């Protein structure tokens, strides 16, 4: 076993002494040493219930014949960090988490790792670590949050807090109403209730084969989730004994399956950052073109929040990820999974209990997948939009640019009534390097929706929350801080967004753009010290997944 290096032979007496100091019995010294990597924290609803999952995972590991050791990694809540400078730390935390896990697992020569995760950057950070380390691993995502309820109407975090905030600011709802909304929007533990980034990544983790069937949508706090944690612990010990490693599972087939499922679900655009970053750690080249090619042949078959009408609990009760896989069976490639079942075996065993929540591929909500990749003079390196959340009359749109060099300036203009129907809000210097950290623009997009500005688009070199809906184009590459064309846009320029043709174009002549380029002076970096300054120096373009490339 991998752990033999710290526990076998007379020279390891000091090592064993320290291990015995933790309470490990002599009999267990020969068992596989299994890490439980938990992102428990009281700071995040999606993670606040993980202590009990740790217990059940630990029981499962010991039942399977292993010795469990719990260690922790930090978590950043995108919702709490949203709309201020704290959001700059969200995406960078993904890479910090992967590095922390590498340090702990390799320093202690663990034989396997059970990952307990849930939210936006933590799940991909853990998957990056699993691929990098290639030690037998299994994932337990902690589950979606149940819907809230106020005045006998189901409530969710995005609509009933972010968009309600805009209505409160304009006097459409009063202080008591916004207070009641915010107190019922998040009724307890779990990841936010729609197919936002956290739940999207949980679903893709299951499709890739790194978690047990049914794990992604098993609701937070439910007995089913505890049973999955227990079963995952038992199964991981078998994976160690069988020497089945992440790279045996996370191969090219698994990533193609994940992209297809993402497109069929209408998942978060953040997956165009996370899947390439995980693939990079697995030694697989994955780029934006993969998403666009597959989007044209993969139908969108669910109607989940934020662009649709159903909650994650509805998705769970309809059959969850296995039911989606069943609908997509002819689109998916067979592969092994941590469960011991193959992809095709999971498809055949699944049941779909509601064909409106999860439609068959011959009756989709949209003929194409949820994500589209747009290119043009303003985004030669690509940009992304969740096309499944765009109204039909905004699929082709030409608008007037209103430019802002930060999210805060854009928010002030939106809330101040500066933005009108027919405008395109341009937010720049919020990319991986320029932000630094590539902040999510949920607050501006939710404000636009909350104010009823249905003929306004937003483009940015930053990114969007999985909760964003409407004609919002993110990940503009190259970003402004790299000298990208988005830095040269001026107020009142015309910009055309054409989703069917996959095109985004700044309607300014090449001669004028060359003149602007000659006169252009980049602003000073926003972070001069600390982790964010270090991050800005090493991170790649959003078009590559905003990752650290070791061959740079």
């Amino acid at each position: 076993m991998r752990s033999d290096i710290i526990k076998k032979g007379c020279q390891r007496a000091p090592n064993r002494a320290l291990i015995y100091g933790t309470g490990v019995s002599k009999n267990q010294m020969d068992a596989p040493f299994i890490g439980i990597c938990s992102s428990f924290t009281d700071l995040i609803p999606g993670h606040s219930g993980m202590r009990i999952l740790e217990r059940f995972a630990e029981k499962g590991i010991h039942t399977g014949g292993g010795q469990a050791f719990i260690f922790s990694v930090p978590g950043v809540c995108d919702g709490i960090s949203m709309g201020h400078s704290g959001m700059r730390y969200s995406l960078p935390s993904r890479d910090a988490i992967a590095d922390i896990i590498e340090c702990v697992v390799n320093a202690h020569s663990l034989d396997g790792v059970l990952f307990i995760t849930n939210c936006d950057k933590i799940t991909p950070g853990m998957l990056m670590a699993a691929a990098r380390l290639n030690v037998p691993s299994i994932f337990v995502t902690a589950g979606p949050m149940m819907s809230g309820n106020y005045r006998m109407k189901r409530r969710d975090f995005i609509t009933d807090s972010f968009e309600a905030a805009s209505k409160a600011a304009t006097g459409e709802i009063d202080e008591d109403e916004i207070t009641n909304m915010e107190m019922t929007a998040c009724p307890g533990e779990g990841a936010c209730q729609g197919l936002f980034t956290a739940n999207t990544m949980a679903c893709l983790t299951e499709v890739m084969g790194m978690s047990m069937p049914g794990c992604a949508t098993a609701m937070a706090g439910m007995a089913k989730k505890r049973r999955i944690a227990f079963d995952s612990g038992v199964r991981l010990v078998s994976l160690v004994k069988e020497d089945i490693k992440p790279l045996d599972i996370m191969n090219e087939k698994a990533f193609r399956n994940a992209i297809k499922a993402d497109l069929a679900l209408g998942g978060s655009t953040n997956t165009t950052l996370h899947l390439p970053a995980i693939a990079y750690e697995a030694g697989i080249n994955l780029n934006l073109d993969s998403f666009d090619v597959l989007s044209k042949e993969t139908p969108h078959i669910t109607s989940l929040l934020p662009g649709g009408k159903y909650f994650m609990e509805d998705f769970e009760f309809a059959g969850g990820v296995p039911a989606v896989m069943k609908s997509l069976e002819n689109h998916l490639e067979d592969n092994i999974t941590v469960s011991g079942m193959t992809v095709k075996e999971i498809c055949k065993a699944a049941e779909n209990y509601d064909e409106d929540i999860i439609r068959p591929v011959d009756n989709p909500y949209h003929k194409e997948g949820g994500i589209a990749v747009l290119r043009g003079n303003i985004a030669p390196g690509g940009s992304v939009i969740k096309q499944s959340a765009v109204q039909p009359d905004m699929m082709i749109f030409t608008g007037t640019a209103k430019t802002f060099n930060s999210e805060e300036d854009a928010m002030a203009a939106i809330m101040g009534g500066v933005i009108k129907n027919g405008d395109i809000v341009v937010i720049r210097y919020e990319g991986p390097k320029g932000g630094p950290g590539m902040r999510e623009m949920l607050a501006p997009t939710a404000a636009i929706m909350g104010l009823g500005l249905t003929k306004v688009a937003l483009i940015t070199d930053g990114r969007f929350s999985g909760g964003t809906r409407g004609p919002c184009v993110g990940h503009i590459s190259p970003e402004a801080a790299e000298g990208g064309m988005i830095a040269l846009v001026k107020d009142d320029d015309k910009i055309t967004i054409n989703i069917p043709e996959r095109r985004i174009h700044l309607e300014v002549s090449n001669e004028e753009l060359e003149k602007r380029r000659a006169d252009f002076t980049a602003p000073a970096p926003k972070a001069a010290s600390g982790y964010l300054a270090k991050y800005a120096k090493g991170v790649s373009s959003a078009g590559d997944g905003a990752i650290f490339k070791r061959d740079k």
Side-chain angles (χ1 to χ4, degrees):
M1 287 186 293
R2 195 168 181 267
S3 60
D4 286 350
I5 197 170
I6 64 170
K7 63 187 185 183
K8 296 291 186 181
C10 60
Q11 291 186 334
R12 294 303 182 215
N15 308 63
R16 290 193 296 273
L18 288 166
I19 295 167
Y20 284 133
T22 69
V24 171
S25 70
K26 191 171 185 301
N27 290 338
Q28 283 296 99
M29 192 61 78
D30 290 330
F33 278 14
I34 308 294
I36 298 176
C37 178
S38 171
S39 52
F40 164 79
T41 172
D42 288 327
L43 282 167
I44 311 175
H47 298 244
S48 61
M50 287 183 177
R51 283 293 184 234
I52 196 163
L53 295 181
E54 294 169 5
R55 288 181 55 214
F56 277 84
E58 185 177 35
K59 290 178 182 179
I61 289 166
H62 285 278
T63 298
Q67 172 63 48
F69 300 90
I70 299 172
F71 69 96
S72 300
V73 294
V76 170
C77 178
D78 282 35
I80 296 172
S81 64
M82 191 77 66
H84 58 93
S85 60
M87 175 49 74
R88 293 194 172 103
Y89 288 90
S90 175
L91 184 59
S93 75
R94 180 189 73 180
D95 299 87
I97 286 165
D99 291 348
I100 290 168
I101 294 166
E102 177 190 345
C103 291
V104 174
V105 173
N106 280 344
H108 299 93
S109 298
L110 297 177
D111 297 305
V113 187
L114 187 150
F115 293 94
I116 302 179
T117 178
N118 218 17
C119 286
D120 299 35
K121 311 308 169 298
I122 300 144
T123 299
M126 288 184 175
L127 285 164
M128 289 166 64
R132 184 188 303 176
L133 294 165
N134 201 29
V135 171
S137 301
I138 199 165
F139 280 70
V140 177
T141 48
M145 182 187 294
M146 295 294 292
S147 61
N149 197 295
Y150 173 53
R151 293 185 173 175
M152 296 308 297
K153 179 181 177 182
R154 289 198 294 176
R155 305 290 176 171
D156 77 278
F157 169 61
I158 302 299
T159 306
D160 296 294
S161 58
F162 274 95
E163 293 184 18
S166 299
K167 294 176 181 178
T170 60
E172 186 177 339
I173 59 176
D174 61 22
E175 186 175 341
D176 285 343
E177 187 75 357
I178 188 68
T179 298
N180 287 322
M181 291 278 204
E182 67 195 44
M183 292 191 72
T184 55
C186 297
E189 66 183 81
C192 302
Q193 302 104 321
L195 198 66
F196 314 137
T197 306
N199 288 321
T200 300
M201 285 307 305
C203 292
L204 302 194
T205 301
E206 184 176 332
V207 172
M208 280 195 290
M210 291 303 294
S211 61
M212 299 290 274
C215 182
T217 61
M219 304 302 291
M222 298 293 102
K224 179 180 176 181
K225 182 64 74 178
R226 298 171 189 178
R227 288 191 288 271
I228 288 172
F230 177 87
D231 291 342
S232 297
V234 174
R235 179 60 187 156
L236 179 55
V237 180
S238 296
L239 293 174
V240 172
K241 293 176 179 177
E242 296 167 22
D243 198 30
I244 297 174
K245 298 175 181 176
L247 296 188
D248 297 324
I249 298 168
M250 287 196 288
N251 49 35
E252 291 185 358
K253 293 186 290 185
F255 283 100
R256 284 194 292 268
N257 286 345
I259 293 173
K260 290 173 187 176
D262 184 22
L263 296 166
L265 288 164
S268 167
T269 53
N270 281 317
T271 58
T272 63
L273 298 173
H274 299 325
L275 287 177
I278 300 161
Y280 176 76
E281 298 292 348
I284 294 169
N285 182 34
L286 189 67
N287 55 40
L288 281 176
D289 291 335
S290 302
F291 287 83
D292 203 41
V293 168
L294 293 174
S295 183
K296 292 174 182 176
E297 60 188 52
T298 307
H300 173 222
I301 60 173
T302 68
S303 178
L304 300 172
L305 292 170
K309 59 184 177 180
Y310 293 113
F311 288 73
M312 287 303 294
E313 63 209 60
D314 303 318
F315 184 28
E316 156 70 359
F317 301 142
V321 169
V324 168
M325 293 171 67
K326 189 178 190 71
S327 287
L328 291 176
E329 182 174 358
N330 292 333
H331 290 259
L332 301 179
E333 300 173 64
D334 207 10
N335 198 25
I336 65 169
T337 74
V338 292
S339 70
M341 299 173 70
T342 67
V343 167
K344 295 295 186 179
E345 287 171 344
I346 292 170
C347 292
K348 292 188 189 314
E351 292 191 59
N352 184 349
Y353 299 106
D354 191 314
E355 290 196 349
D356 191 54
I357 297 172
I358 304 167
R359 289 190 175 181
V361 293
D362 58 2
N363 182 33
Y365 282 98
H366 302 97
K367 291 182 180 179
E368 293 187 353
I371 293 173
V373 176
L374 311 185
R375 296 184 187 272
N377 64 347
I378 197 172
S383 61
V384 297
I385 186 167
K386 184 188 278 193
Q387 63 173 339
S388 58
V390 179
Q391 293 300 314
D393 62 350
M394 290 294 286
M395 295 292 281
I396 301 173
F397 178 67
T398 298
T400 303
K402 295 290 185 290
T403 60
F404 306 93
N405 289 349
S406 71
E407 178 188 1
E408 287 83 358
D409 289 347
M411 272 299 289
I414 294 166
M415 299 308 295
V418 173
I419 305 302
K420 308 293 184 185
N421 279 322
D423 288 340
I424 294 182
V425 178
V426 180
I427 306 178
R428 56 200 177 193
Y429 297 102
E430 292 287 6
K433 292 181 180 294
M438 203 177 183
R439 289 195 286 181
E440 286 185 349
M441 301 293 142
L442 178 57
T445 59
I448 289 168
M449 286 293 156
L451 293 171
L453 297 170
T454 58
K455 304 297 181 186
V456 169
L458 189 153
I459 71 171
T460 180
D461 54 8
R463 60 194 176 88
F464 295 117
S465 162
T468 294
R469 57 194 178 101
C472 303
V473 183
H475 307 198
I476 298 280
S477 300
E479 62 176 290
E482 292 181 308
M485 190 74 74
I486 191 173
L488 305 182
V489 181
K490 291 186 176 182
D491 285 351
D492 299 325
D493 284 349
K494 296 295 183 182
I495 298 172
T496 295
I497 300 168
N498 189 321
I499 298 172
E501 293 184 4
R502 303 296 201 261
R503 188 169 63 90
I504 181 168
H505 189 77
L506 175 63
E507 307 290 350
V508 175
S509 69
N510 290 333
E511 293 76 15
E512 172 62 19
L513 290 173
E514 287 175 12
K515 190 182 303 182
R516 292 182 189 181
R517 177 75 68 191
D519 295 337
F520 173 72
T521 302
K526 293 179 181 177
S529 62
Y531 179 55
L532 292 180
K534 174 182 170 183
Y535 181 84
K537 288 179 182 177
V539 70
S540 73
S541 164
D544 293 333
I547 58 180
F548 287 87
K549 295 188 175 180
R550 289 181 287 275
D551 55 355
K552 286 180 72 174

